[in-house]
Short mmCIF file of all heavy atoms in Angstrom, two decimals:
data_model
loop_
_atom_site.label_atom_id
_atom_site.label_comp_id
_atom_site.label_asym_id
_atom_site.label_seq_id
_atom_site.Cartn_x
_atom_site.Cartn_y
_atom_site.Cartn_z
N GLU A 167 -10.08 45.88 42.68
CA GLU A 167 -9.38 45.99 41.40
C GLU A 167 -10.25 46.64 40.34
O GLU A 167 -11.38 46.20 40.10
CB GLU A 167 -8.90 44.61 40.93
CG GLU A 167 -7.77 44.06 41.76
CD GLU A 167 -7.32 42.69 41.29
OE1 GLU A 167 -7.79 42.21 40.23
OE2 GLU A 167 -6.49 42.09 41.99
N GLY A 168 -9.73 47.69 39.72
CA GLY A 168 -10.45 48.37 38.64
C GLY A 168 -11.63 49.19 39.10
O GLY A 168 -12.43 49.63 38.27
N ARG A 169 -11.78 49.38 40.39
CA ARG A 169 -12.90 50.14 40.93
C ARG A 169 -12.39 51.35 41.73
O ARG A 169 -11.31 51.31 42.29
CB ARG A 169 -13.75 49.28 41.87
CG ARG A 169 -14.40 48.11 41.19
CD ARG A 169 -15.16 47.27 42.21
NE ARG A 169 -15.77 46.11 41.59
CZ ARG A 169 -16.95 46.10 41.01
NH1 ARG A 169 -17.68 47.18 40.97
NH2 ARG A 169 -17.43 45.00 40.47
N ILE A 170 -13.21 52.37 41.79
CA ILE A 170 -12.90 53.53 42.61
C ILE A 170 -13.39 53.23 44.01
O ILE A 170 -14.58 53.02 44.23
CB ILE A 170 -13.58 54.81 42.08
CG1 ILE A 170 -13.08 55.11 40.65
CG2 ILE A 170 -13.31 55.98 43.02
CD1 ILE A 170 -13.86 56.21 39.96
N GLY A 171 -12.47 53.17 44.96
CA GLY A 171 -12.80 52.87 46.34
C GLY A 171 -12.86 54.14 47.18
O GLY A 171 -12.51 55.23 46.73
N GLY A 172 -13.30 53.97 48.41
CA GLY A 172 -13.40 55.10 49.32
C GLY A 172 -12.07 55.79 49.54
O GLY A 172 -11.99 57.01 49.61
N SER A 173 -10.99 55.01 49.61
CA SER A 173 -9.67 55.60 49.81
C SER A 173 -9.16 56.32 48.57
O SER A 173 -8.36 57.25 48.67
CB SER A 173 -8.66 54.52 50.21
OG SER A 173 -9.03 53.94 51.44
N SER A 174 -9.62 55.90 47.40
CA SER A 174 -9.16 56.54 46.17
C SER A 174 -10.07 57.68 45.71
O SER A 174 -9.67 58.50 44.89
CB SER A 174 -9.00 55.51 45.04
OG SER A 174 -10.20 54.83 44.80
N ALA A 175 -11.28 57.77 46.27
CA ALA A 175 -12.20 58.84 45.87
C ALA A 175 -11.61 60.24 46.06
O ALA A 175 -11.74 61.08 45.17
CB ALA A 175 -13.53 58.70 46.63
N PRO A 176 -10.92 60.52 47.18
CA PRO A 176 -10.32 61.85 47.32
C PRO A 176 -9.29 62.17 46.21
O PRO A 176 -9.20 63.31 45.77
CB PRO A 176 -9.65 61.80 48.69
CG PRO A 176 -10.42 60.78 49.45
CD PRO A 176 -10.78 59.73 48.42
N THR A 177 -8.58 61.15 45.75
CA THR A 177 -7.62 61.38 44.66
C THR A 177 -8.37 61.71 43.38
O THR A 177 -8.02 62.65 42.67
CB THR A 177 -6.73 60.13 44.46
OG1 THR A 177 -6.05 59.85 45.68
CG2 THR A 177 -5.72 60.37 43.35
N VAL A 178 -9.43 60.96 43.09
CA VAL A 178 -10.23 61.20 41.89
C VAL A 178 -10.77 62.63 41.88
O VAL A 178 -10.79 63.29 40.85
CB VAL A 178 -11.38 60.17 41.79
CG1 VAL A 178 -12.36 60.54 40.69
CG2 VAL A 178 -10.82 58.77 41.57
N PHE A 179 -11.19 63.11 43.05
CA PHE A 179 -11.75 64.46 43.16
C PHE A 179 -10.70 65.54 43.37
O PHE A 179 -11.04 66.71 43.55
CB PHE A 179 -12.80 64.51 44.28
CG PHE A 179 -14.11 63.94 43.86
CD1 PHE A 179 -14.43 62.62 44.13
CD2 PHE A 179 -15.03 64.70 43.15
CE1 PHE A 179 -15.64 62.07 43.73
CE2 PHE A 179 -16.23 64.18 42.75
CZ PHE A 179 -16.54 62.85 43.03
N GLY A 180 -9.43 65.17 43.36
CA GLY A 180 -8.35 66.15 43.45
C GLY A 180 -8.12 66.74 44.83
O GLY A 180 -7.54 67.82 44.95
N CYS A 181 -8.54 66.04 45.89
CA CYS A 181 -8.33 66.58 47.23
C CYS A 181 -7.43 65.69 48.09
O CYS A 181 -7.46 65.75 49.31
CB CYS A 181 -9.65 66.88 47.92
SG CYS A 181 -10.79 65.50 48.04
N ASN A 182 -6.63 64.86 47.44
CA ASN A 182 -5.63 64.06 48.14
C ASN A 182 -4.29 64.77 47.95
O ASN A 182 -3.80 64.86 46.83
CB ASN A 182 -5.57 62.65 47.55
CG ASN A 182 -4.50 61.79 48.20
OD1 ASN A 182 -3.70 62.24 49.00
ND2 ASN A 182 -4.49 60.53 47.83
N PRO A 183 -3.68 65.26 49.04
CA PRO A 183 -2.42 65.98 48.88
C PRO A 183 -1.24 65.09 48.47
O PRO A 183 -0.18 65.60 48.12
CB PRO A 183 -2.18 66.59 50.28
CG PRO A 183 -2.93 65.71 51.21
CD PRO A 183 -4.12 65.20 50.43
N TYR A 184 -1.42 63.77 48.49
CA TYR A 184 -0.32 62.85 48.20
C TYR A 184 -0.38 62.22 46.82
O TYR A 184 0.51 61.48 46.44
CB TYR A 184 -0.29 61.75 49.27
CG TYR A 184 -0.24 62.31 50.66
CD1 TYR A 184 -1.36 62.28 51.48
CD2 TYR A 184 0.91 62.94 51.14
CE1 TYR A 184 -1.33 62.82 52.76
CE2 TYR A 184 0.95 63.49 52.42
CZ TYR A 184 -0.17 63.43 53.21
OH TYR A 184 -0.14 63.98 54.47
N ALA A 185 -1.44 62.47 46.06
CA ALA A 185 -1.57 61.87 44.72
C ALA A 185 -2.45 62.75 43.85
O ALA A 185 -3.27 63.51 44.33
CB ALA A 185 -2.16 60.47 44.83
N GLN A 186 -2.27 62.60 42.56
CA GLN A 186 -3.03 63.35 41.57
C GLN A 186 -4.07 62.44 40.91
O GLN A 186 -3.87 61.22 40.84
CB GLN A 186 -2.09 63.91 40.49
CG GLN A 186 -1.08 64.90 41.02
CD GLN A 186 -1.76 66.13 41.60
OE1 GLN A 186 -2.66 66.69 40.99
NE2 GLN A 186 -1.34 66.54 42.78
N PRO A 187 -5.15 63.01 40.41
CA PRO A 187 -6.17 62.18 39.74
C PRO A 187 -5.60 61.28 38.65
O PRO A 187 -6.04 60.14 38.49
CB PRO A 187 -7.14 63.21 39.17
CG PRO A 187 -7.03 64.38 40.10
CD PRO A 187 -5.57 64.41 40.49
N VAL A 188 -4.61 61.75 37.92
CA VAL A 188 -4.02 60.93 36.85
C VAL A 188 -3.37 59.68 37.43
O VAL A 188 -3.38 58.62 36.80
CB VAL A 188 -3.02 61.74 35.99
CG1 VAL A 188 -1.76 62.09 36.77
CG2 VAL A 188 -2.70 60.99 34.71
N ASP A 189 -2.83 59.75 38.66
CA ASP A 189 -2.25 58.57 39.30
C ASP A 189 -3.31 57.49 39.49
O ASP A 189 -3.06 56.31 39.23
CB ASP A 189 -1.65 58.93 40.67
CG ASP A 189 -0.51 59.92 40.57
OD1 ASP A 189 0.30 59.80 39.64
OD2 ASP A 189 -0.43 60.81 41.45
N GLU A 190 -4.49 57.90 39.91
CA GLU A 190 -5.57 56.93 40.14
C GLU A 190 -6.07 56.38 38.81
O GLU A 190 -6.37 55.19 38.69
CB GLU A 190 -6.70 57.57 40.94
CG GLU A 190 -7.72 56.59 41.42
CD GLU A 190 -7.17 55.51 42.34
OE1 GLU A 190 -6.08 55.66 42.93
OE2 GLU A 190 -7.83 54.47 42.46
N TRP A 191 -6.16 57.23 37.80
CA TRP A 191 -6.58 56.77 36.48
C TRP A 191 -5.59 55.73 35.94
O TRP A 191 -6.01 54.69 35.41
CB TRP A 191 -6.67 57.96 35.51
CG TRP A 191 -7.02 57.55 34.12
CD1 TRP A 191 -8.26 57.24 33.64
CD2 TRP A 191 -6.12 57.40 33.03
NE1 TRP A 191 -8.18 56.90 32.32
CE2 TRP A 191 -6.87 56.99 31.91
CE3 TRP A 191 -4.74 57.57 32.89
CZ2 TRP A 191 -6.29 56.75 30.67
CZ3 TRP A 191 -4.17 57.32 31.65
CH2 TRP A 191 -4.95 56.92 30.56
N LEU A 192 -4.30 55.97 36.10
CA LEU A 192 -3.29 55.01 35.66
C LEU A 192 -3.43 53.67 36.38
O LEU A 192 -3.33 52.61 35.78
CB LEU A 192 -1.88 55.58 35.87
CG LEU A 192 -1.48 56.73 34.95
CD1 LEU A 192 -0.20 57.38 35.45
CD2 LEU A 192 -1.34 56.26 33.52
N ARG A 193 -3.72 53.72 37.69
CA ARG A 193 -3.91 52.49 38.46
C ARG A 193 -5.18 51.76 38.03
O ARG A 193 -5.16 50.55 37.80
CB ARG A 193 -3.98 52.82 39.96
CG ARG A 193 -4.02 51.57 40.84
CD ARG A 193 -4.36 51.89 42.28
NE ARG A 193 -5.73 52.33 42.45
CZ ARG A 193 -6.81 51.55 42.46
NH1 ARG A 193 -6.68 50.25 42.27
NH2 ARG A 193 -8.02 52.03 42.64
N LEU A 194 -6.26 52.50 37.89
CA LEU A 194 -7.54 51.89 37.54
C LEU A 194 -7.54 51.27 36.15
O LEU A 194 -8.24 50.28 35.91
CB LEU A 194 -8.67 52.91 37.64
CG LEU A 194 -9.06 53.33 39.06
CD1 LEU A 194 -9.97 54.54 39.02
CD2 LEU A 194 -9.71 52.18 39.79
N THR A 195 -6.78 51.83 35.24
CA THR A 195 -6.73 51.32 33.88
C THR A 195 -5.61 50.30 33.68
O THR A 195 -5.37 49.87 32.55
CB THR A 195 -6.58 52.48 32.87
OG1 THR A 195 -5.39 53.21 33.17
CG2 THR A 195 -7.80 53.39 32.90
N GLY A 196 -4.94 49.92 34.77
CA GLY A 196 -3.90 48.90 34.71
C GLY A 196 -2.59 49.37 34.13
O GLY A 196 -1.72 48.56 33.81
N ARG A 197 -2.40 50.66 33.98
CA ARG A 197 -1.16 51.20 33.43
C ARG A 197 -0.08 51.39 34.50
O ARG A 197 1.05 51.65 34.20
CB ARG A 197 -1.44 52.52 32.72
CG ARG A 197 -2.26 52.34 31.46
CD ARG A 197 -2.66 53.70 30.88
NE ARG A 197 -3.28 53.58 29.59
CZ ARG A 197 -4.57 53.37 29.38
NH1 ARG A 197 -5.39 53.24 30.41
NH2 ARG A 197 -5.06 53.28 28.17
N ARG A 198 -0.50 51.29 35.77
CA ARG A 198 0.43 51.42 36.89
C ARG A 198 -0.07 50.52 38.01
O ARG A 198 -1.26 50.44 38.27
CB ARG A 198 0.48 52.87 37.36
CG ARG A 198 1.45 53.09 38.53
CD ARG A 198 1.46 54.52 39.01
NE ARG A 198 2.04 55.38 38.00
CZ ARG A 198 1.97 56.71 38.03
NH1 ARG A 198 1.33 57.32 39.01
NH2 ARG A 198 2.52 57.44 37.08
N ASP A 199 0.86 49.85 38.68
CA ASP A 199 0.50 49.00 39.81
C ASP A 199 0.13 49.88 41.01
O ASP A 199 0.59 51.01 41.15
CB ASP A 199 1.67 48.10 40.21
CG ASP A 199 1.92 47.00 39.19
OD1 ASP A 199 0.98 46.64 38.46
OD2 ASP A 199 3.07 46.51 39.13
N SER A 200 -0.67 49.31 41.89
CA SER A 200 -1.00 49.98 43.15
C SER A 200 0.27 50.09 43.97
O SER A 200 1.15 49.23 43.91
CB SER A 200 -2.03 49.19 43.94
OG SER A 200 -3.25 49.14 43.26
N VAL A 201 0.37 51.16 44.74
CA VAL A 201 1.51 51.34 45.61
C VAL A 201 1.36 50.40 46.80
O VAL A 201 0.29 50.31 47.40
CB VAL A 201 1.60 52.81 46.10
CG1 VAL A 201 2.73 53.00 47.08
CG2 VAL A 201 1.74 53.75 44.92
N ASP A 202 2.43 49.67 47.12
CA ASP A 202 2.41 48.76 48.26
C ASP A 202 2.74 49.55 49.52
O ASP A 202 3.86 50.00 49.70
CB ASP A 202 3.42 47.63 48.05
CG ASP A 202 3.46 46.64 49.20
OD1 ASP A 202 2.61 46.74 50.12
OD2 ASP A 202 4.35 45.77 49.18
N LEU A 203 1.74 49.73 50.38
CA LEU A 203 1.92 50.48 51.61
C LEU A 203 2.07 49.57 52.83
O LEU A 203 2.07 50.06 53.96
CB LEU A 203 0.74 51.44 51.82
CG LEU A 203 0.56 52.51 50.75
CD1 LEU A 203 -0.73 53.30 51.01
CD2 LEU A 203 1.76 53.44 50.71
N SER A 204 2.24 48.27 52.60
CA SER A 204 2.30 47.33 53.72
C SER A 204 3.48 47.59 54.65
O SER A 204 3.42 47.27 55.83
CB SER A 204 2.34 45.89 53.21
OG SER A 204 3.50 45.67 52.43
N GLY A 205 4.55 48.18 54.13
CA GLY A 205 5.72 48.48 54.96
C GLY A 205 5.66 49.84 55.63
O GLY A 205 6.54 50.20 56.41
N ASN A 206 4.62 50.62 55.35
CA ASN A 206 4.47 51.96 55.92
C ASN A 206 3.98 51.83 57.37
O ASN A 206 2.92 51.24 57.62
CB ASN A 206 3.47 52.75 55.07
CG ASN A 206 3.26 54.15 55.56
OD1 ASN A 206 2.81 54.36 56.69
ND2 ASN A 206 3.55 55.12 54.70
N MET A 207 4.74 52.39 58.31
CA MET A 207 4.41 52.23 59.73
C MET A 207 3.05 52.85 60.08
O MET A 207 2.29 52.28 60.87
CB MET A 207 5.50 52.84 60.62
CG MET A 207 5.24 52.65 62.11
SD MET A 207 5.01 50.92 62.62
CE MET A 207 6.67 50.37 62.73
N ALA A 208 2.73 54.00 59.51
CA ALA A 208 1.45 54.64 59.80
C ALA A 208 0.29 53.76 59.33
O ALA A 208 -0.71 53.60 60.03
CB ALA A 208 1.37 56.02 59.15
#
């Protein structure tokens, strides 16, 4: 919570094709909840 993790580092550096750096900033600053991927089969 509130930390940049290994999975979020690519988003912060702009090399995640599925999210933008602003998405991670919103999550880290509590302005947006983390996406729940528990139902994702992959």
Side-chain angles (χ1 to χ4, degrees):
E167 289 179 7
R169 297 177 182 274
I170 299 170
S173 298
S174 57
T177 302
V178 170
F179 281 95
C181 56
N182 177 353
Y184 307 106
Q186 297 298 314
V188 69
D189 297 321
E190 190 60 20
W191 177 79
L192 290 168
R193 186 191 69 78
L194 288 168
T195 58
R197 292 173 172 87
R198 181 182 292 167
D199 289 336
S200 295
V201 176
D202 180 7
L203 297 175
S204 62
N206 181 299
M207 183 56 81

